[in-house]
Amino acid sequence: MTRHLTVNIVTPNGVVYEHHAHMVVAKTLDGDLGILPRHAPIIAPLAIDEVRIKRIDSDDHVDWIAINGGVIEVRDDIVTIIADSAERERDIDVSRAERAKNRAEELIREAKSHADVDELRRATVALHRAINRINVSKHQ
Ligand code: ATP
């Protein structure tokens, strides 16, 4: 039988995604990671970015997930992503993400004017989260 991947994405709120797949592409802090069956075992920290999953049970269908930091583990054809938060493209509230983006941009402006490095770092991460959600929602 052809080998496939089992993909699980979990967050503190529970299981977000559980499917069989031909391929997974994720962005680690070291760059893109493409995973096919028989991939070598790996554990890597994930960037705030999209994860692309080519599912087995839907012809050429690709699922897109907004991943907001976390860890990916690959072992024995099982891909496990443990994320701080994760949303499938269809579950993203775009207007909420737009509001979060505007808020973060305003906070960045304020942090720069006060030379507040901690606030600038927090707001920049929030901006990345919002932009990532907006980008992933466009794949619907
Ligand atoms: P916000 O300021 O809108 O709350 P945030 O980036 O601070 O955004 P998080 O702390 O990353 O939000 O996430 C809190 C919870 O809300 C998580 O369960 C996350 O999946 C969910 N969430 C956040 N933004 C969205 C969105 N735009 N659409 C759907 N779910 C979202």
Side-chain angles (χ1 to χ4, degrees), residues 19-67:
H19 283 289
H20 296 306
H22 294 295
M23 186 180 71
V24 175
V25 180
K27 180 77 141 290
T28 73
L29 295 185
D30 287 331
D32 281 341
L33 175 67
I35 303 151
L36 295 168
R38 299 179 199 276
H39 195 285
I42 184 173
I43 295 180
L46 288 168
I48 298 173
D49 212 294
E50 53 197 26
V51 165
R52 208 160 84 217
I53 301 167
K54 188 154 183 263
R55 262 195 15 221
I56 245 166
D57 52 355
S58 50
D59 284 345
D60 282 339
H61 187 78
V62 175
D63 288 331
W64 300 82
I65 324 276
I67 297 287

Side-chain angles (χ1 to χ4, degrees), residues 11 13-14 19 33 36 40 43 61 71 74 76 85 87-88 94:
T11 73
N13 290 335
H19 283 289
L33 175 67
L36 295 168
I43 295 180
H61 187 78
V71 171
V74 184
D76 297 335
S85 69
E87 301 92 33
R88 294 182 67 158
V94 183

Side-chain angles (χ1 to χ4, degrees), residues 11-13 16 66 68 84-88 91-101 103 125-127 129-130 133-134:
T11 73
N13 290 335
V16 171
N68 305 301
D84 299 335
S85 69
E87 301 92 33
R88 294 182 67 158
D91 296 326
I92 291 172
D93 178 339
V94 183
S95 53
R96 176 175 169 180
E98 294 282 2
R99 286 196 302 277
K101 176 174 176 281
R103 221 168 28 243
V125 173
L127 179 62
R129 280 200 305 271
R133 287 177 175 129
I134 292 165

Side-chain angles (χ1 to χ4, degrees), residues 116-128:
D116 185 339
V117 179
D118 289 341
E119 185 60 28
L120 181 59
R121 189 180 43 77
R122 269 195 298 275
T124 304
V125 173
L127 179 62
H128 283 158

